[in-house]
Amino acid sequence: MVIEKHYVINQHMMYMFGLHDRNAKVCTLVREFHRVFIVDRSPLEILEDSLRCIGFNLKGAMDTSKLIIGKNMMGPVLINHIHNICVFPNKSHKPEDTIWFNPFHILRTQSCKRKTNIEFRNRLILMIDSKLYSFNHKLKSAEQLSQITIENATNPVSYIIEPPKKVRKRKSKKK
C-alpha cells in the first residue's frame, strides 16, 4: 500500500481513520473514490493541514460548527466552503480510530443488527458500530452545516447599526 507523507482533504475523500503502524505511530488510512492509501499523519493533523491551506484552523472550524449547528460534541467540520467539503466523525474526534466521513459520497444508510451499513456512491459498503439513528443525525448535521455556510457566504445578511445619538447637556444661563 502507498504511504504518503502529507495529505490535504479533497472532494474525492470518502472517509479516513487512524491506525498504528508497526512502530506504534498513528497514521491515517484514507479512502478516496478510486484509491486507498496511508498518510504518515494522524487524522487530526490531516484536518488541521487541510484547514491551514485555506487560512483557517481546526479549533476555529470546530467553534464555528458549534455556533452554527449548536453545541454538539461530535459536530461536523467544514474543511473547504468553496468546494463544499465537510466531514463528520462517527464518535468523539479525540480517539485515533474515529472515522471521518464526507457526506457527499454517502448514497444510503441501512440498519443491520444494531449497526449501520453505509453505501457510498462507488457502491462500496462499510459497516460501522453505530445505531442508524445516531449516524443519520450526524450525517444530517454535516449537510446542514454545509448548506447554512454556503447560504451565508452567497447571501450575507447586513445589519445597519446606527450610532447612538449624543445627548447634549445644555448649559444653564446665569442671570
Side-chain angles (χ1 to χ4, degrees), residues 46-61:
I46 290 174
L47 290 169
E48 185 72 49
D49 294 345
S50 299
L51 286 161
R52 284 198 189 280
C53 285
I54 60 167
F56 299 105
N57 64 27
L58 185 56
K59 183 179 180 338

Side-chain angles (χ1 to χ4, degrees), residues 97-115:
D97 65 339
T98 297
I99 305 172
W100 290 87
F101 293 95
N102 182 348
F104 175 77
H105 290 286
I106 297 175
L107 187 61
R108 74 175 55 103
T109 57
Q110 295 175 328
S111 179
C112 181
K113 298 179 183 175
R114 305 193 83 181
K115 294 186 179 193

Side-chain angles (χ1 to χ4, degrees), residues 11-174:
Q11 300 97 314
H12 305 293
M13 195 275 292
M14 294 170 35
Y15 65 88
M16 67 179 184
F17 60 89
L19 50 85
H20 295 275
D21 69 3
R22 62 179 171 238
N23 299 319
K25 182 180 186 289
V26 179
C27 297
T28 303
L29 184 130
V30 177
R31 175 74 195 210
E32 286 189 345
F33 196 77
H34 292 294
R35 67 184 187 134
V36 180
F37 54 94
I38 293 175
V39 180
D40 195 20
R41 313 257 305 145
S42 74
L44 291 179
E45 289 174 325
I46 290 174
L47 290 169
E48 185 72 49
D49 294 345
S50 299
L51 286 161
R52 284 198 189 280
C53 285
I54 60 167
F56 299 105
N57 64 27
L58 185 56
K59 183 179 180 338
M62 288 181 164
D63 289 346
T64 301
S65 175
K66 287 178 186 176
L67 180 72
I68 293 172
I69 297 298
K71 299 220 182 234
N72 187 349
M73 293 304 291
M74 296 174 274
V77 177
L78 191 67
I79 300 297
N80 189 320
H81 67 281
I82 295 168
H83 296 291
N84 198 15
I85 302 171
C86 186
V87 296
F88 68 96
N90 69 321
K91 56 186 176 184
S92 172
H93 68 277
K94 292 178 183 175
E96 288 100 11
D97 65 339
T98 297
I99 305 172
W100 290 87
F101 293 95
N102 182 348
F104 175 77
H105 290 286
I106 297 175
L107 187 61
R108 74 175 55 103
T109 57
Q110 295 175 328
S111 179
C112 181
K113 298 179 183 175
R114 305 193 83 181
K115 294 186 179 193
T116 300
N117 276 341
I118 305 159
E119 184 179 347
F120 295 94
R121 291 184 187 273
N122 65 354
R123 303 298 182 205
L124 174 76
I125 296 176
L126 177 69
M127 181 183 283
I128 64 166
D129 191 19
S130 175
K131 292 181 183 171
L132 181 64
Y133 173 81
S134 175
F135 183 82
N136 283 345
H137 179 71
K138 294 169 194 165
L139 173 61
K140 188 66 177 169
S141 292
E143 290 170 344
Q144 285 177 344
L145 177 64
S146 287
Q147 182 181 359
I148 291 168
T149 304
I150 297 302
E151 179 67 27
N152 287 344
T154 55
N155 298 317
V157 177
S158 298
Y159 295 100
I160 299 173
I161 302 173
E162 292 183 30
K165 294 180 181 177
K166 293 183 180 179
V167 179
R168 259 175 86 177
K169 293 184 180 179
R170 292 186 179 200
K171 293 182 183 179
S172 58
K173 294 181 181 179
K174 292 183 183 178

